[in-house]
Amino acid sequence: MYNLPLTIKQKIIMGFSTIGVLLVAGSIFFYNSLTQISTANSNVELLAVPVQKQSSALQIKLLNMIKVGALGFTQQSTPDLVNSEQEYARLNQEFQSAVAVLRSKVMDQPKMLQALKQAQTHYQEYVSQSEQFYLAKKNVASANEAFVSSYQEFIASRDQASNDMLDLELLEIDNAQLLVDIVGNGARIDDMLYTLQNTMSGLKQVPELTLLAQHKEDVGFLVANAKNNFDFMQRLFESIDDKSLLDDFELQFSVLNELLVEPGKLYQQKQQALDDAINANTAYNNSVNSFNATYQQLTLLLSLAEARFNELQLTTKDKVATGEDLAIYMAVIFVALAAFIGVITTRAMLGPLANANKSLALIAQGDLTQRLVIENQDEFGDLFNNINKLSDDLTTLMKN
């Protein structure tokens, strides 16, 4: 700058312009750095954190679903099962909505998207198995309710048949021995009905199909014995006109036979309940397995989300560190350049000014032999030229 063919004004303008350019350049660098930091923070806040929260929320919703399903599996009545199933369906809708939101946030992350797809596959199987066990449990409840109704019918028919046998003592017939035979046979039939009721009282608690078959066989044997005794009773009543008790007993016994032997409605209902209970257990166990697989994939998804969060957070820290380093570097550069420009500008102005003062001092002392060397055609060049001219004029004047 010192030797540039520029005027002082131009040199000053050039120096300050250089400083201005450096400030603008520094501002651009700082703005770019701040933009990168802002982008990194936005990625953390808008991408990593929501995925983390959404993945964690899915796990919580899934845990709520398995909790509701486990509670529903213990329910026995149809209304309780329906309420539990409705709550499960509501949670399922919330889960599906949350999955859709999360899918939109991980479309650019292949690993996370793959984990989410795997979780959805296992989840669909989990929901399907849960729906199956709810259906089976409702079928169990319906079969048990039907069983209770049929069992009440059995108790009523057995009690009435027993009363008919006991009321045989009230018969009025002339043949005393025949009456004794009838009452005795009626007592045996009543004992069989009592034994039948005691045996049937344990039917509801039968836990397995093999035990159910054995139970039905035992009851069939009791019913057959009662039928044989009733056939004998009918032969005893051949000479008796009043067969009202016998007719009523036959009606009640036909009901018992239908419930216990042919077709054995009580056993059909119990078998249906056991079959559906087996189906419910199988479906529930399968749903638990599918739940575990789903939860495992969601755990993987959450770990990937946490890894991405850490990565973006590290990127943010790197951007901040880069910005800090840039600020230090730019500050040093600004100070160095400002000092350099200040020194150059000062030398460009003070050096020629000192030479001019020295020359004028010599002239004032009467030394008119010194001449200033004009190096630049600027304001100082004009000044030096005028001083030299002054020396020349004074020299001429002195000679004259």
Side-chain angles (χ1 to χ4, degrees):
M1 181 184 290
Y2 182 75
N3 296 319
L4 290 177
L6 300 174
T7 65
I8 298 300
K9 179 180 179 181
Q10 290 173 334
K11 291 179 179 179
I12 294 174
I13 292 174
M14 182 178 178
F16 282 103
S17 297
T18 303
I19 294 175
V21 169
L22 289 175
L23 290 175
V24 171
S27 299
I28 293 174
F29 282 124
F30 281 127
Y31 177 79
N32 182 61
S33 178
L34 290 175
T35 301
Q36 292 180 351
I37 294 173
S38 177
T39 300
N41 283 328
S42 297
N43 288 336
V44 172
E45 296 176 359
L46 301 179
L47 299 179
V49 173
V51 171
Q52 271 188 312
K53 291 182 178 180
Q54 202 70 17
S55 299
S56 180
L58 281 180
Q59 285 187 318
I60 294 174
K61 291 181 186 298
L62 191 64
L63 289 172
N64 288 336
M65 291 180 70
I66 194 68
K67 179 181 178 181
V68 170
L71 181 61
F73 185 73
T74 64
Q75 301 296 336
Q76 302 299 327
S77 67
T78 299
D80 290 339
L81 284 167
V82 170
N83 290 336
S84 177
E85 188 176 24
Q86 290 175 346
E87 176 66 13
Y88 184 89
R90 183 185 67 80
L91 292 174
N92 179 34
Q93 289 295 327
E94 292 181 358
F95 187 93
Q96 297 284 15
S97 299
V99 167
V101 173
L102 181 58
R103 187 189 302 111
S104 65
K105 296 181 180 298
V106 299
M107 291 300 294
D108 60 334
Q109 299 294 316
K111 290 184 178 180
M112 298 176 70
L113 186 60
Q114 180 64 23
L116 182 59
K117 288 181 179 179
Q118 289 293 332
Q120 282 186 281
T121 300
H122 293 302
Y123 177 77
Q124 292 301 329
E125 181 63 20
Y126 164 63
V127 172
S128 175
Q129 293 296 330
S130 297
E131 291 174 348
Q132 289 182 34
F133 93 68
Y134 269 114
L135 177 60
K137 286 290 292 185
K138 287 190 291 184
N139 289 339
V140 170
S142 298
N144 285 333
E145 291 167 2
F147 176 88
V148 170
S149 178
S150 297
Y151 188 80
Q152 294 299 324
E153 185 180 1
F154 159 76
I155 293 296
S157 296
R158 192 222 68 91
D159 289 346
Q160 184 59 44
S162 178
N163 291 335
D164 289 338
M165 292 297 100
L166 294 176
D167 288 345
L168 291 175
E169 296 180 355
L170 302 178
L171 285 175
E172 296 180 359
I173 56 177
D174 296 333
N175 190 336
Q177 183 58 47
L178 179 59
L179 181 59
V180 170
D181 292 340
I182 289 174
V183 171
N185 193 44
R188 285 193 297 275
I189 293 175
D190 181 59
D191 288 341
M192 292 177 186
L193 293 176
Y194 179 78
T195 303
L196 180 63
Q197 181 174 346
N198 288 339
T199 303
M200 288 299 298
S201 64
L203 178 59
K204 188 175 182 179
Q205 285 74 39
V206 173
E208 298 177 2
L209 292 175
T210 54
L211 296 178
L212 181 65
Q214 182 61 48
H215 192 280
K216 185 177 182 181
E217 183 178 342
D218 294 340
V219 168
F221 179 75
L222 290 173
V223 173
N225 285 340
K227 178 67 168 58
N228 291 334
N229 280 272
F230 177 67
D231 291 341
F232 177 67
M233 181 72 76
Q234 286 180 315
R235 291 194 295 272
L236 293 176
F237 263 79
E238 288 179 353
S239 60
I240 299 176
D241 294 331
D242 185 6
K243 295 184 175 60
S244 58
L245 291 176
L246 205 62
D247 292 340
D248 186 64
F249 178 87
E250 184 176 15
L251 177 62
Q252 302 304 325
F253 193 79
S254 66
V255 173
L256 296 178
N257 188 71
E258 179 183 353
L259 291 173
L260 305 179
V261 182
E262 293 296 337
K265 186 163 68 172
L266 271 171
Y267 286 95
Q268 289 177 337
Q269 292 164 346
K270 184 61 180 179
Q271 181 174 350
Q272 182 65 46
L274 290 176
D275 287 339
D276 288 326
I278 292 173
N279 293 335
N281 284 328
T282 301
Y284 180 74
N285 290 333
N286 290 337
S287 72
V288 171
N289 292 334
S290 297
F291 161 81
N292 291 332
T294 305
Y295 194 84
Q296 183 178 1
Q297 290 299 319
L298 289 179
T299 301
L300 174 60
L301 179 61
L302 182 58
S303 66
L304 292 173
E306 290 174 348
R308 188 185 186 196
F309 173 82
N310 293 334
E311 179 184 354
L312 291 176
Q313 195 172 44
L314 182 61
T315 300
T316 302
K317 291 180 179 178
D318 290 341
K319 296 297 183 183
V320 172
T322 301
E324 293 175 347
D325 293 340
L326 180 62
I328 294 173
Y329 296 151
M330 292 301 296
V332 171
I333 292 173
F334 285 157
V335 171
L337 288 177
F340 175 76
I341 293 172
V343 170
I344 295 300
T345 303
T346 301
R347 288 182 60 187
M349 295 181 66
L350 295 182
L353 187 60
N355 292 332
N357 286 332
K358 182 179 179 180
S359 179
L360 290 174
L362 291 174
I363 293 173
Q365 294 173 4
D367 185 358
L368 301 176
T369 62
Q370 301 295 324
R371 296 292 183 271
L372 293 172
V373 179
I374 300 174
E375 296 178 353
N376 297 308
Q377 299 300 319
D378 55 9
E379 288 84 348
F380 283 112
D382 294 340
L383 178 62
F384 286 1
N385 185 52
N386 290 331
I387 291 174
N388 290 337
K389 184 178 180 182
L390 175 63
S391 296
D392 291 340
D393 291 343
L394 290 175
T395 299
T396 301
L397 183 62
M398 292 294 294
K399 288 180 180 182
N400 292 331

